[in-house]
Amino acid sequence: MDLKTATALRRLRLVSAPEAISFLLLLVCSVLKRTTEFNAVPVMGAVHGALFVLYVIFWADAWNRAKWSLKTAGLYFVLSVLPAGGFFAERMLRREAEDAVIASRARKEDVVGA
C-alpha cells in the first residue's frame, strides 16, 4: 500500500467515529427536543452534517485510491448512514491498515505468500 492510499484510509478512519458519535447525539437531541424544552437539534444537525460530508469525501477518496470493489465501497457507505455504523467502519479500517503493515513487513523479509 502506498503512502497516499494509507493516508486516505487513515483520514476515513479518523472521521468515522466522530461522525457516528455526532449521529447518536443528534438522535438524542431529537428525542430531547420532543420531550423537553431543550433544542440542540440545529447545532447538532450542522455538526453532524459537516462530519457526514467529510466522511463522504474521504470515503470517495479512499475508494478511488484503495481500489475497493463495489461491495466493499457500498459497505463503508451503508455504515455511514447507520447510527453506530461509523464505529464498525473505524474498526474495519484499522484492521485493514494493520493487515497492510503486516503484509508490507512480510514482503520486506521475503516471506513466501505475502
Side-chain angles (χ1 to χ4, degrees):
M1 178 181 308
D2 66 338
L3 184 61
K4 288 184 179 184
T5 302
T7 302
L9 293 175
R10 184 169 188 269
R11 278 193 309 246
L12 181 60
R13 183 175 65 85
L14 290 177
V15 79
S16 63
E19 191 271 336
I21 291 168
S22 71
F23 194 0
L24 293 173
L25 287 174
L26 180 60
L27 293 176
V28 169
C29 288
S30 295
V31 170
L32 289 175
K33 176 184 176 183
R34 285 158 178 66
T35 58
T36 67
E37 297 293 319
F38 184 74
N39 183 11
V41 171
V43 173
M44 278 312 304
V47 169
H48 174 66
L51 287 170
F52 182 73
V53 168
L54 277 177
Y55 184 96
V56 171
I57 291 168
F58 294 159
W59 165 80
D61 186 39
W63 181 10
N64 182 41
R65 293 188 187 280
K67 306 295 187 229
W68 286 335
S69 66
L70 186 59
K71 180 180 174 182
T72 302
L75 172 66
Y76 282 118
F77 187 79
V78 167
L79 287 174
S80 74
V81 296
L82 297 175
F87 298 118
F88 295 107
E90 192 274 335
R91 175 179 268 172
M92 291 169 54
L93 288 163
R94 184 174 354 118
R95 193 170 297 142
E96 187 175 334
E98 289 169 356
D99 290 346
V101 168
I102 291 169
S104 174
R105 287 181 182 160
R107 280 192 297 275
K108 284 181 183 178
E109 296 172 6
D110 291 326
V111 175
V112 178

